[in-house]
């Protein structure tokens, strides 16, 4: 339709980053404050990273190409370690935490958490997902994701 063509035309080059966890069925234990760097970076798969409109990814950080209002989001799947019953993640821009999500869980409970926020970002801002507690995180592609897009 004409409306659909207009929407697609207007958004084809809009900044967008969407990353998936790698295809893995293994838990990985991370300590508090660890930068998550094991996003899938291959090509040719439905879960290959989507980077367009100038968004870039390197070593856990996504860089914003232009100032604007963005929707930033993340999701992690986790299982508590023996030393922690609180698990979660945070997303930081520079040294500022813009999303922080934690929850108490039972020692035998698995949980997935998603959170997002609208935030004004500047050209060159870098944002990153970090663990907010010591837990076992599950990075399978259909459980773990991270990204942002210009609104």
């Amino acid at each position: 339709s004409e409306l659909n063509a207009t929407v697609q035309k207007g958004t084809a080059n809009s900044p967008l980053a969407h990353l998936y966890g790698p295809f893995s069925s293994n838990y990985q234990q991370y300590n508090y404050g660890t930068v998550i760097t094991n996003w899938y970076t291959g090509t040719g798969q439905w879960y290959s990273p989507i980077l367009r409109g100038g968004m870039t990814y390197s070593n856990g950080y996504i860089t914003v190409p232009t100032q604007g209002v963005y929707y930033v989001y993340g999701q992690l799947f986790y299982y508590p370690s023996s030393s922690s019953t609180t698990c979660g993640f945070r997303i930081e821009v520079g040294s500022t935490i813009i999303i922080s999500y934690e929850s108490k869980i039972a020692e035998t409970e698995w949980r997935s958490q998603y959170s997002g926020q609208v935030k004004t970002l500047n050209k060159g801002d870098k944002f990153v997902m970090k663990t907010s507690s010591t837990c076992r995180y599950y990075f399978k592609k259909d459980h773990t994701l991270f990204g942002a897009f210009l609104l």
Side-chain angles (χ1 to χ4, degrees), residues 32-67:
Y32 170 85
T34 301
V35 172
I36 298 170
T37 60
N38 62 332
W39 302 104
Y40 182 79
T41 57
T43 60
Q45 303 296 326
W46 70 263
Y47 48 87
S48 293
I50 301 168
L51 295 166
R52 70 176 192 213
M55 294 283 252
T56 59
Y57 169 78
S58 179
N59 297 316
Y61 290 81
I62 296 173
T63 303
V64 175
T66 185
Q67 181 181 6

Side-chain angles (χ1 to χ4, degrees), residues 40-119:
Y40 182 79
T41 57
T43 60
Q45 303 296 326
W46 70 263
Y47 48 87
S48 293
I50 301 168
L51 295 166
R52 70 176 192 213
M55 294 283 252
T56 59
Y57 169 78
S58 179
N59 297 316
Y61 290 81
I62 296 173
T63 303
V64 175
T66 185
Q67 181 181 6
V69 178
Y70 288 79
Y71 182 72
V72 181
Y73 59 90
Q75 176 175 306
L76 279 181
F77 189 75
Y78 51 80
Y79 188 84
S81 68
S82 58
S83 64
S84 176
T85 57
T86 301
C87 294
F89 68 91
R90 66 183 192 254
I91 297 176
E92 299 177 2
V93 176
S95 61
T96 302
I97 298 171
I98 63 167
I99 295 173
S100 181
Y101 198 97
E102 287 188 343
S103 65
K104 288 192 133 204
I105 57 177
E107 286 186 36
T108 58
E109 186 178 3
W110 301 8
R111 184 166 298 168
S112 180
Q113 288 183 210
Y114 175 90
S115 189
Q117 181 176 357
V118 174
K119 180 77 176 159

